[in-house]
Each structure stands twice: as structure tokens, then as C-alpha cells.
Amino acid sequence: MYQTQAVIQHKLGRKDTELDDCRWPEDGLHFIPDWVYTSQSVYDLELEKIFRGRSWNYVALEAEIPNAGDYKRSYVGATPVVVSRAEDGSINVFENRCAHRGAEFCRHSQGNTKEFVCPYHQWSYDLKGNLQGVPFKRGVNRAGGMPKDFRNEDHGLVKLNVATRNGVIFASYADNMESLEEYMTPEILKDFDVVFNGKPLKVLGYYKNELPCNWKMYHENLKDPYHATLLHSFLVVFGLLVAGNESAMIADSVHGRHGTMASAKKEDKYAAVSDENKKEMRSYHEGMRLEDERFLEYVKEFDSPWSVTMQTIWPNLIVQREMNTLGVRHIVPNGPDSMLMLWTMFGYEDDTEEMTQHRLRQGNLMGPAGFLGLEDNEAMKFVQEGVRRSTTDVNVLKLDANHVGTSNSLISESAIRAMYQYYRGVMGF
């Protein structure tokens, strides 16, 4: 077993794993070292190399800022940002940090304004993040004030590059980023465009919760169809994602960082499971039924063979389509042992009232306290506790061994291997 004294000390709480100690196991495909989930030094490097590196980060939906002056607080990695629509209709993303003394000047989650004013010293900024006003810039009675060479244009907010696709807004610290289309790759765009097909969106509501686990575990969870066939009674009993159904775990073929977990629900409301598969799935409960079977109704509204798709778009976006419930989940890293999940549930502007109610009802499948979300949250908490407290130091990824990337089987960890192969390259491990 791969082990270092530094790792053992870290496990026992005596010191953080230093980057010099971060050596990946020799069998890099089939083992993941625990320090990727627990080390503060690794976490800090992730913020620099990944979220502030060459990535397109999800920040908002255009439907949340439809009018000039509209804004929304958001995050790129752990960094607070503001997403705003200027008078000319342009979308702008800039850090929520006053250029003067560093205060978070935007204090409301959403709203409409003509300018942003820092509450501390009232420096003011326009909707594009440019500094437009400094109180007592020339001092009082010819005393004090800013030096003569102080220029407002040199002290604006830190601005990010912006790209949009069919109503979804992304931002990047990196200059000369490739287009969103190139970044996502055709395999991922295919299902992304099923949900974001150009129809105007209608926001239905929000959730927010904290998970006591490392942010990468959420990516793993949605590149892991193996657990979905075992942990979630709702999925396997009611046929949403069950061994034997037509299904796939699709990874992008360029980098392996994005993925789509997909399944086609059969016409029956309840899953037909072979005796052989029943023995493998302890979460399958014969005879389990719903009092309200409308949760299982699937209105075929998309040009797609899949009734369920869960997309992971590196590094911080989940696009969920569980039958007719639609949403995006925004991953916000919050230290090695914690992450925030910001959920935005939506439909389309041309939805009938009946369809809106159907989406809201079916939304109980998801969310922090949904029929599925609770089980995932608890399982990831258990993993974080295990890797943080134990004295062993590796996770095993040998299911469907040596296979990396897309898999037509649910019983595979190939997409997780692809993600960490990419991750190691970016991080230099």
C-alpha cells in the first residue's frame, strides 16, 4: 500500500500535506491518494490552477438578469463575483471586492441598480466594473485627497472574460480562452443543447446547501453510475437508472473532464429487474409504490433518446434533466472538507401552467432534501470522514479496469479515471 509519513501525520491531524509530499501512486489510473480531498495546500493550488486557470466557470443564467441594471452575486471557485447587465445589454462579470480596501460591496443576492457603491468609503462603480466616483478625491480645503496622478481608469474592479451559450453565462480569468463550444466538446454540447435549446428560460426557484465533503467528490458522484444502481432505492425501484436499461456514461473525448450520465426509462412506471440483478442491488425493494404516481410521469418534450441526463461540466457546473425537472447546480469550493451547492430550478417561458406545476412537483426528486439528494449528501459525508480520519491513504478505482472515458455500462469507473487523468496534468501531479 502506498504510504508516506507525511500522509500519516496529516491523517492524525498534526500537519497539512505539503505539495512536495504529493506523489501520486505508481498505478495512477486505479488509485487516488486521499490528500486530494484533505490537503489545504492542494486545495489552494486547485483554486489557482483550475478555477482561476484555463477554465470556463458557470456563473448565472441570462434569465436571472434580463434587464439593464440587473445583477446577481455569484462565485468563480471560492471568489465572490458579480454578474451584471449594463445599459448597452452587455453581460459583465467582476470580482465582488472593492478596489480600495477590499470590502465586498455587493450585499444582495440579486437586484437592479444604476451603480455599485461600496458601503465602507462609498467608492462607486458602473455596471461594467469601472470606477466612476471617489469621495473627496481632491481632498477638503486643498488638504488630503488622492495624488494628482490617480486615474479612475487604473482602479476599476477585477474583470473576467465572459461567454454565453443559449442563455447560460460563463466566466474565465484566463485570456485567449477557446470558445465554449470547443471547451465543452461535441459529445457534451449534444446533451447540453437539448436542455439549453434557445428557448427563453423561466426561473422557478433556488436551493442552497453545504456539503461536508471535498468539491471533487460531487464530480465523481455524477461520473459514477455504479453507485446510482446501488445507493438510490428511488432510481432502481422506479426505473430511472437501473442496470439493464439502455444507458451510458459519456466522457468528453478531448480531455475527459466533462461527462454525461444518461439513461432511458422504460414505459413501465416501475422497474422490471431480473432475479440476478436483484441479488446485487440491496436498495431494490420489491413492492415499493408511490402514493402519488405523478412523480413518475414523463412528458417526452426533448429530441433525445434519454429520459435522464446528469451533466458535469468542469469545473463547477451540473446540468440536471431528470425526466421533466430541470436545473443547474453551481459548485462552490469551501475548503478541503466543505463545498456549497447553489441550485437553480427552471422551466421555459412558454410552459403551460400544468407543465410548470409538473416540473415543480417532480423537482422533489432533486434538491438538498429530495428523494435522491439526501442519500448522495450523506454518502459523500461518510467518504470525507473516512479519508480525513483514517491512516490508510488511497481510494481504489478498479471497476472496469484500464478503461478510461466513455462507457456503455453502468458498472464502470472509467469516467472518474478520465477526470483524474486530466486533473493530474493540470495540477502537475
Side-chain angles (χ1 to χ4, degrees):
M1 182 69 71
Y2 174 84
Q3 191 97 335
T4 69
Q5 187 62 33
V7 170
I8 295 174
Q9 288 177 332
H10 170 57
K11 295 289 189 176
L12 298 179
R14 289 197 288 266
K15 70 186 289 289
D16 180 41
T17 306
E18 299 297 337
L19 291 174
D20 288 344
D21 297 315
C22 295
R23 297 180 180 86
W24 209 273
E26 185 176 343
D27 184 352
L29 277 181
H30 301 112
F31 293 97
I32 302 173
D34 285 359
W35 47 254
V36 302
Y37 309 109
T38 60
S39 167
Q40 182 68 44
S41 299
V42 170
Y43 170 80
D44 293 341
L45 189 63
E46 289 171 346
L47 296 182
E48 175 190 343
K49 295 278 193 178
I50 296 173
F51 294 97
R52 295 195 293 269
R54 296 197 62 79
S55 297
W56 281 116
N57 297 267
Y58 166 80
V59 288
L61 300 175
E62 287 197 55
E64 297 175 280
I65 53 165
N67 304 309
D70 287 347
Y71 67 87
K72 178 188 177 181
R73 289 182 59 173
S74 187
Y75 294 87
V76 170
T79 303
V81 299
V82 178
V83 186
S84 76
R85 191 179 291 274
E87 294 89 342
D88 60 4
S90 65
I91 296 172
N92 303 269
V93 179
F94 37 81
E95 286 192 6
N96 189 2
R97 179 190 187 281
C98 181
H100 178 213
R101 298 298 302 279
E104 285 192 18
F105 57 85
C106 182
R107 305 306 302 167
H108 298 287
S109 58
Q110 287 178 275
N112 184 278
T113 189
K114 296 184 183 304
E115 63 179 358
F116 296 100
V117 181
C118 179
Y120 197 2
H121 299 95
Q122 284 79 60
W123 282 34
S124 61
Y125 304 90
D126 67 17
L127 295 167
K128 295 186 178 184
N130 300 310
L131 179 63
Q132 60 182 13
V134 176
F136 301 114
K137 183 177 179 180
R138 298 305 173 206
V140 177
N141 298 327
R142 299 182 180 180
M146 291 294 180
K148 290 183 179 180
D149 62 353
F150 182 92
R151 302 168 70 245
N152 283 12
E153 51 266 41
D154 295 334
H155 296 276
L157 302 172
V158 175
K159 302 176 184 179
L160 283 70
N161 298 300
V162 177
T164 64
R165 184 173 177 87
N166 294 342
V168 188
I169 307 169
F170 296 83
S172 179
Y173 279 94
D175 293 326
N176 302 315
M177 276 292 294
E178 65 264 41
S179 68
L180 271 175
E181 291 73 18
E182 186 179 352
Y183 181 78
M184 286 194 199
T185 75
E187 297 99 330
I188 302 304
L189 278 174
K190 181 178 180 181
D191 286 293
F192 183 88
D193 286 349
V194 168
V195 174
F196 301 108
N197 50 26
K199 293 172 62 175
L201 304 180
K202 177 172 64 176
V203 175
L204 300 181
Y206 298 96
Y207 303 116
K208 177 181 179 180
N209 68 307
E210 181 180 359
L211 285 78
C213 68
N214 186 271
W215 67 274
K216 297 183 294 299
M217 286 186 187
Y218 218 96
H219 278 276
E220 293 180 25
N221 183 70
L222 291 174
K223 296 177 188 293
D224 174 16
Y226 181 44
H227 94 274
T229 64
L230 300 169
L231 175 67
H232 299 301
S233 294
F234 195 94
L235 286 183
V236 297
V237 173
F238 303 121
L240 276 70
L241 190 69
V242 60
N245 280 13
E246 183 182 357
S247 56
M249 182 65 243
I250 303 164
D252 79 85
S253 61
V254 179
H255 298 289
R257 56 193 172 189
H258 315 303
T260 303
M261 186 191 299
S263 179
K265 188 183 188 312
K266 295 182 178 179
E267 294 296 325
D268 297 336
K269 287 188 175 178
Y270 300 96
V273 180
S274 68
D275 290 338
E276 179 183 357
N277 287 339
K278 285 178 186 176
K279 294 176 183 178
E280 300 288 344
M281 298 188 299
R282 298 188 184 192
S283 58
Y284 183 82
H285 300 285
E286 195 83 55
M288 182 183 285
R289 294 293 183 267
L290 287 173
E291 289 292 331
D292 188 344
E293 292 188 339
R294 290 178 298 175
F295 283 111
L296 301 178
E297 292 175 0
Y298 174 47
V299 179
K300 187 168 174 51
E301 59 177 324
F302 302 108
D303 183 17
S304 169
W306 311 116
S307 56
V308 173
T309 57
M310 298 294 294
Q311 283 201 304
T312 52
I313 299 176
W314 185 265
N316 71 341
L317 174 61
I318 312 298
V319 181
Q320 71 168 62
R321 176 168 71 89
E322 288 271 356
M323 296 192 289
N324 299 111
T325 182
L326 305 173
V328 291
R329 309 180 198 175
H330 182 179
I331 293 173
V332 181
N334 188 39
D337 302 316
S338 172
M339 58 166 279
L340 302 178
M341 182 66 79
L342 310 179
W343 309 61
T344 304
M345 309 301 291
F346 62 88
Y348 302 108
E349 279 191 3
D350 63 359
D351 283 346
T352 64
E353 181 59 29
E354 182 182 17
M355 176 56 89
T356 297
Q357 291 304 311
H358 177 55
R359 295 197 201 281
L360 290 170
R361 182 187 308 113
Q362 212 168 66
N364 286 284
L365 294 171
M366 314 309 294
F371 297 160
L372 308 176
L374 274 175
E375 295 165 341
D376 281 327
N377 295 351
E378 189 173 47
M380 286 183 280
K381 174 189 175 183
F382 294 162
V383 174
Q384 191 71 28
E385 288 177 345
V387 299
R388 184 168 60 88
R389 295 175 176 176
S390 71
T391 57
T392 56
D393 68 334
V394 291
N395 289 254
V396 178
L397 280 181
K398 291 197 172 183
L399 198 67
D400 196 17
N402 298 310
H403 188 191
V404 179
T406 295
S407 171
N408 292 322
S409 169
L410 295 181
I411 314 304
S412 177
E413 293 167 330
S414 62
I416 302 176
R417 283 192 287 272
M419 183 186 83
Y420 277 108
Q421 194 171 61
Y422 170 76
Y423 171 88
R424 290 176 63 191
V426 172
M427 294 287 287
F429 293 140

